[in-house]
């Protein structure tokens, strides 16, 4: 870059020389600043590209599943400082004598919301944790969060893989229990985003257990396993002692892995661990990726629905379990959970390790489920009966719950027709479509 030579006509030699040096320096400074600005811009652009690539994986082609996020940067969303800590403490403080202080992971999820409300209602302290990922409509999760806030339940926005955040929460609150419900759910979505299952159900669970084992006191942990662990098992009804080494989906395999991981942390560190095998849970505030939910939506919109039958043309059935029964099971498991026995990362004595089925004990075919919805919504479904795609679904589930009954009096009381009526009432009111459905749903309590 050229600078003009010094003018010799009017000033002294020294002044002219100094002025020349100043001009050369300022030109150099300008060049250096431009280079620096360019490099900083490039760096910012790279950081932004990395951020959006990691946080927004490709959108799936399934209308019910948008995408799950890794939330590697979720810690940016949790607060710090005195105000935030006060909220964490306040939410976790029990309001009844000998009340629990429970960390509920996946608190803005379907089961998480219902359990958090039930615990809070009876006077336990409840702190929620949720990463609000977009596996399904996050606005539904935000609406559940609002409901929780109305009942003084604070939900920390963060990921179970964020051990720094978890340690921080345990530094603030000596949780007596963890109700671990955060997971990548859904059987069929595992074909589209397999690693999200490993990330949440395996890595996330291990991260949580690592923090729990080194907490003092160690909490007792109750967590969500799944009926899907029975996989290709043909003995019915499914009992806890049956084979669970033939998972039919990656989802099932990661839940089964969770049960084995639970064994390890119980064995080495003395953590008290109870796994609950949920059987197709449904109800108000449910998950939009589940069949009963999107069937309702599609039937109301006069769209066709796929009703699966087995490869042999037989009907497919599920032991659909109503949310209130599941909540009773979760609370029963928490109430009977013994204390963990370790401290400072060391086991002091053998600790409790349990697994229970939580089902309804009355399987219903998918065709019957559709029939109930048709009657409740007063709309004839456009049924498209097809052979179940090879996507991890199993043909039949049926729970034997005698173990849960023996140990904490678990007894499901809601049949599918009653439960779906409550769901339809919530659905039509939440989505503001009361006028189109049967009046009797609206008048039902
Ligand atoms: O118990 C569990 O551990 C799991 O329960 C739930 O899985 P599932 O029992 O498979 O429920 P869900 O998808 O509602 O399908 C219901 C029925 O509809 C059939 N189905 C499904 C889709 C479709 O288009 N057509 C159809 O017939 C389908 O074949 C099935 O027979 C949870 O999602 C899962 O997270 C896990 O918790």
């Amino acid at each position: 870059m050229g600078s003009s030579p010094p003018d010799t006509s009017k000033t002294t030699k020294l002044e002219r020389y100094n002025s020349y040096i100043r001009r050369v320096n300022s030109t150099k400074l300008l060049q250096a600043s431009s280079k620096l600005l360019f490099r900083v811009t490039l760096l910012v652009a790279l950081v932004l590209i990395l951020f959006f690539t990691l946080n927004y994986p490709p959108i799936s082609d399934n209308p019910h599943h948008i995408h799950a996020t890794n939330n590697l940067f979720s810690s940016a969303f949790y607060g710090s400082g005195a105000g935030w800590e006060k909220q964490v403490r306040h939410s976790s403080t029990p309001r009844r004598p000998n009340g629990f202080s429970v960390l509920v992971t996946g608190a803005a999820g379907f089961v998480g919301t219902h359990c958090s409300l039930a615990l809070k209602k009876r006077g336990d302290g409840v702190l929620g944790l949720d990463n609000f990922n977009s596996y399904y409509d996050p606005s539904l999760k935000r609406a559940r969060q609002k409901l929780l806030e109305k009942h003084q339940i604070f939900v920390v926005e963060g990921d179970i893989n964020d051990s720094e955040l978890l340690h921080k929460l345990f530094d603030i609150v000596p949780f007596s229990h963890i109700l671990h419900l955060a997971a990548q759910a859904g059987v069929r979505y595992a074909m589209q985003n397999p690693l999200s299952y490993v990330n949440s159900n395996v890595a996330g669970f291990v991260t949580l257990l690592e923090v729990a084992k080194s907490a003092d006191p160690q909490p007792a942990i109750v967590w969500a396993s799944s009926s899907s662990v029975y996989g290709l098992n043909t003995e019915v009804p499914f009992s806890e002692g049956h084979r669970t080494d033939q998972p039919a989906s990656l989802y099932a395999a990661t839940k089964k892995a969770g049960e084995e991981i639970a064994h390890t942390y119980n064995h080495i560190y003395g953590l008290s661990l109870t796994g609950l095998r949920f059987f197709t849970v449904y109800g108000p505030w449910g998950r939009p990726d589940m069949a009963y939910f999107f069937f309702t939506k599609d039937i109301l919109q006069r769209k066709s629905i796929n009703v699966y039958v087995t490869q042999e043309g037989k009907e497919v059935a599920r032991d659909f379990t109503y949310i209130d029964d599941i909540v009773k099971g979760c609370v029963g498991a928490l109430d009977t959970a013994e204390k963990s026995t370790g401290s400072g990362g060391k086991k002091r004595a053998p600790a409790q390790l349990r697994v229970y089925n939580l089902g309804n004990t009355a399987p219903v075919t998918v065709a019957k489920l559709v029939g109930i919805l048709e009657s409740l919504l007063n709309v004839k479904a456009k049924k498209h009966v097809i052979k179940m795609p090879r996507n991890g679904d199993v043909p039949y589930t049926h729970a034997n719950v005698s173990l849960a009954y023996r140990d904490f009096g678990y007894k499901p009381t809601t049949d599918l027709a009653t439960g779906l009526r409550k769901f339809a009432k919530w659905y039509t009111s939440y989505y503001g479509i009361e006028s189109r459905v049967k009046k009797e749903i609206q008048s039902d309590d």
Side-chain angles (χ1 to χ4, degrees), residues 105-279:
T105 71
F110 170 36
V111 181
T113 295
H114 284 278
C115 286
S116 297
L117 289 171
L119 292 169
K120 194 74 177 185
K121 197 170 168 193
R122 69 176 203 171
D124 291 328
V126 178
L127 180 72
L129 176 68
D130 205 293
N131 70 6
F132 293 91
N133 73 29
S134 45
Y135 165 60
Y136 62 79
D137 183 11
S139 74
L140 179 57
K141 299 179 185 184
R142 292 294 173 191
R144 295 187 192 124
Q145 181 187 23
K146 271 209 180 104
L147 181 67
L148 294 173
E149 279 169 358
K150 235 170 71 182
H151 292 83
Q152 278 78 52
I153 299 167
F154 182 49
V155 183
V156 172
E157 184 161 350
D159 198 287
I160 49 168
N161 278 293
D162 186 345
S163 61
E164 197 191 320
L165 167 62
L166 295 175
H167 277 297
K168 191 169 178 173
L169 296 178
F170 272 88
D171 282 347
I172 301 171
V173 181
F175 293 105
S176 59
H177 296 77
I178 300 178
L179 180 57
H180 174 48
L181 303 170
Q184 176 59 61
V187 173
R188 295 171 292 277
Y189 181 61
M191 307 271 290
Q192 293 172 51
N193 192 354
L195 288 180
S196 67
Y197 289 80
V198 180
N199 185 46
S200 295
N201 305 354
V202 180
F205 192 28
V206 171
T207 306
L208 185 74
L209 292 173
E210 278 293 314
V211 175
K213 91 164 195 231
S214 51
D216 198 8
Q218 286 179 335
I221 300 160
V222 173
W223 69 283
S225 183
S226 160
S227 73
S228 63
V229 299
Y230 290 106
L232 305 183
N233 171 54
T234 48
E235 281 183 89
V236 285
F238 298 166
S239 302
E240 288 84 348
H242 287 172
R243 282 186 74 168
T244 52
D245 58 351
Q246 302 166 292
S249 65
L250 183 65
Y251 169 69
T254 58
K255 285 294 179 181
K256 175 63 185 169
E259 293 188 357
E260 305 303 336
I261 289 165
H263 179 273
T264 307
Y265 277 80
N266 169 269
H267 174 68
I268 302 181
Y269 300 110
L271 279 175
S272 160
L273 277 146
T274 304
L276 302 174
R277 294 176 179 166
F278 294 161
F279 282 68

Side-chain angles (χ1 to χ4, degrees), residues 186 188 226-227 251 278 280 287 290-291 306 308 316 318 393:
R188 295 171 292 277
S226 160
S227 73
Y251 169 69
F278 294 161
T280 317
R287 276 173 33 208
M290 289 184 66
N306 289 330
Y308 296 161
V316 165
R318 285 289 179 277
D393 263 329

